[in-house]
Amino acid sequence: MLPQEELIQLAHTKMPFGKYEGRFLVDLPEFYLVWYRNKGFPKGKLGNQMQLVYELKLNGLEGLLRDIRHRFPRT
């Protein structure tokens, strides 16, 4: 289980590059995450976060991150 602060951070993380730059990771299209799953996620923290979002979407749990983002807004 991830610590609360890591989930809050994940809920607020945006894609830093590419076609979907600026979108929250949880709002990336599923086909895009599947493509990365097949190609290989980026190395490091971003790749780990993208992989977790992929798993959450795969299990229909992406709503949890959206709820967290709304309950714990960042300034």
Side-chain angles (χ1 to χ4, degrees):
M1 179 63 67
L2 290 174
Q4 179 178 338
E5 186 54 39
E6 287 186 48
L7 283 173
I8 293 170
Q9 184 179 20
L10 178 61
H12 290 278
T13 300
K14 293 183 178 184
M15 189 67 183
F17 59 82
K19 181 177 181 178
Y20 298 106
E21 181 177 356
R23 276 202 198 181
F24 291 107
L25 294 183
V26 70
D27 294 334
L28 293 174
E30 188 172 338
F31 73 86
Y32 188 69
L33 292 168
V34 169
W35 180 79
Y36 263 110
R37 171 77 166 89
N38 293 329
K39 172 187 177 266
F41 289 105
K43 301 281 187 222
K45 185 174 184 177
L46 176 63
N48 291 337
Q49 288 176 317
M50 290 175 70
Q51 187 169 4
L52 182 54
V53 169
Y54 167 81
E55 293 292 336
L56 289 169
K57 283 183 174 260
L58 184 66
N59 290 290
L61 299 172
E62 68 269 17
L64 293 173
L65 290 180
R66 291 188 181 104
D67 288 345
I68 289 170
R69 191 169 69 226
H70 287 79
R71 291 175 192 242
F72 300 94
R74 296 285 168 126
T75 55

